[in-house]
Amino acid sequence: ITLKKSFHGRTLTTVAATGQERFQKPFMPLPPGFKHVPINDIETLKENISRNTCAIMLEPIQGESGINVTSYEFIQGVRKLCDEKGLLLIFDEIQTGLGRTGKLFGYQHYGVEPDILTLAKALGGGVPIGALMAKDFVAEAFEPGDHGSTFGGNPLACAAGLAVMQTILNEGLVENAYKAGSYLSEKLQALKSKYNFISEVRGKGLMIGIELSNGKAKEIKEKCFEKGYLIGNIGIGILRILPPLVVTMQDIDGMAEALDSAFSEI
Ligand SMILES: Cc1ncc(COP(=O)(O)O)c(C=O)c1O
């Protein structure tokens, strides 16, 4: 079981796990067996568990679909359900992992541990590498040699991954993401008070979404780009802001000013 509006990738099975039809259509037919349920709705999740359910997979904060944050109560409930029913809890932390949310892993905001966790994106600092971590009782299912790929176990990528981990930990980048993220959130809340078309500012650390009621997300993104700031838009209604973990308070001031003037020009 995965969540609606989730994004888990574009390999055949992860695209089937993804809860958005627009990513699935070009790759059909897909491997069967996935159910998609709404975020933060523990009752519907419960109703969808059957004797064939093996795992629940989710992003602690949905990235691709617009920074939708899972609630503390929901994740606590999901962990409890998994324990009661003998299901594995899988966290896809490909966006939320490695400091992005102001903690090393997104799951640390929720007082639970997943049984399996995936990482990629930031892990290699631009060099392609992905990782799957699992508790011992899960990892035991694999023997060395059971799984592999042409570029798997690549020494260059692993060296890059180690260097990135050391840099994140030694240079206090998780703490910076927390501090800079709190500062950015304050600035964005101030902009929300100023512009009535900002209906919500949400997220954790340096993973922030701004919901707009004026349908101008794309135009605002383009205006920010002209001013030297790269942000994302999801459709016409959401801005997605994921600054680098090395961002400074001055950078944030500049970004808030750029957004302020983009909002006032629209
Ligand atoms: C949460 C999440 N999971 C997985 C992926 C990996 O996708 P892909 O298979 O396209 O590399 C992404 C990429 O954006 C992602 O955001």
Side-chain angles (χ1 to χ4, degrees):
I1 302 178
T2 63
L3 299 184
K4 288 186 195 288
K5 295 191 180 174
S6 57
F7 185 85
H8 295 294
R10 288 191 182 88
T11 53
L12 208 50
T13 303
T14 59
V15 91
T18 290
Q20 299 185 68
E21 219 177 81
R22 72 190 175 96
F23 290 109
Q24 298 179 326
K25 274 206 171 127
F27 297 102
M28 284 177 174
L30 300 175
F34 286 95
K35 289 181 187 171
H36 305 100
V37 300
I39 190 171
N40 295 335
D41 180 348
I42 198 77
E43 287 311 315
T44 307
L45 175 61
K46 215 182 274 180
E47 284 161 19
N48 276 278
I49 294 173
S50 75
R51 54 192 292 275
N52 293 325
T53 307
C54 61
I56 297 171
M57 177 164 73
L58 51 83
E59 301 152 83
I61 301 176
Q62 292 181 334
E64 161 62 41
S65 64
I67 317 297
N68 303 308
V69 185
T70 55
S71 71
Y72 184 85
E73 296 71 30
F74 180 65
I75 297 294
Q76 286 279 323
V78 175
R79 180 68 270 181
K80 196 159 162 272
L81 267 179
C82 288
D83 291 340
E84 283 168 10
K85 311 257 184 203
L87 313 178
L88 295 178
L89 177 56
I90 306 173
F91 273 19
D92 178 346
E93 295 237 22
I94 284 169
Q95 273 202 46
T96 54
L98 300 165
R100 171 59 51 198
T101 66
K103 293 202 186 268
L104 188 56
F105 301 111
Y107 78 78
Q108 293 170 312
H109 290 280
Y110 295 94
V112 301
E113 284 184 355
D115 303 305
I116 299 178
L117 184 147
T118 59
L119 292 175
K121 292 207 193 294
L123 185 58
V127 175
I129 181 171
L132 180 141
M133 291 148 61
K135 291 194 166 168
D136 285 344
F137 79 95
V138 182
E140 269 166 16
F142 279 85
E143 296 286 334
D146 280 353
H147 187 50
S149 69
T150 303
F151 298 117
N154 183 288
L156 171 66
C158 292
L162 274 175
V164 167
M165 280 307 300
Q166 278 158 6
T167 305
I168 287 176
L169 298 175
N170 296 343
E171 298 187 12
L173 297 188
V174 182
E175 294 76 11
N176 191 59
Y178 177 78
K179 281 193 211 130
S182 306
Y183 185 59
L184 177 56
S185 279
E186 267 171 42
K187 294 255 164 194
L188 296 178
Q189 291 297 347
L191 290 178
K192 180 171 178 279
S193 313
K194 189 167 167 189
Y195 298 100
N196 61 10
F197 55 79
I198 302 181
S199 39
E200 192 182 20
V201 176
R202 56 179 183 249
K204 290 186 193 294
L206 288 173
M207 188 167 181
I208 297 181
I210 306 176
E211 182 104 32
L212 305 173
S213 60
N214 65 357
K216 295 278 169 72
K218 191 162 176 281
E219 290 85 337
I220 291 166
K221 177 190 81 172
E222 281 159 7
K223 282 196 178 292
C224 285
F225 184 63
E226 283 163 20
K227 297 171 201 292
Y229 292 88
L230 272 175
I231 62 174
N233 71 294
I234 289 123
I236 58 170
I238 304 172
L239 295 173
R240 182 166 55 155
I241 305 183
L242 282 88
L245 303 195
V246 293
V247 75
T248 64
M249 301 302 164
Q250 289 90 320
D251 294 330
I252 301 251
D253 287 338
M255 145 128 275
E257 269 169 40
L259 269 173
D260 193 356
S261 72
F263 287 148
S264 66
E265 288 162 22
I266 276 298

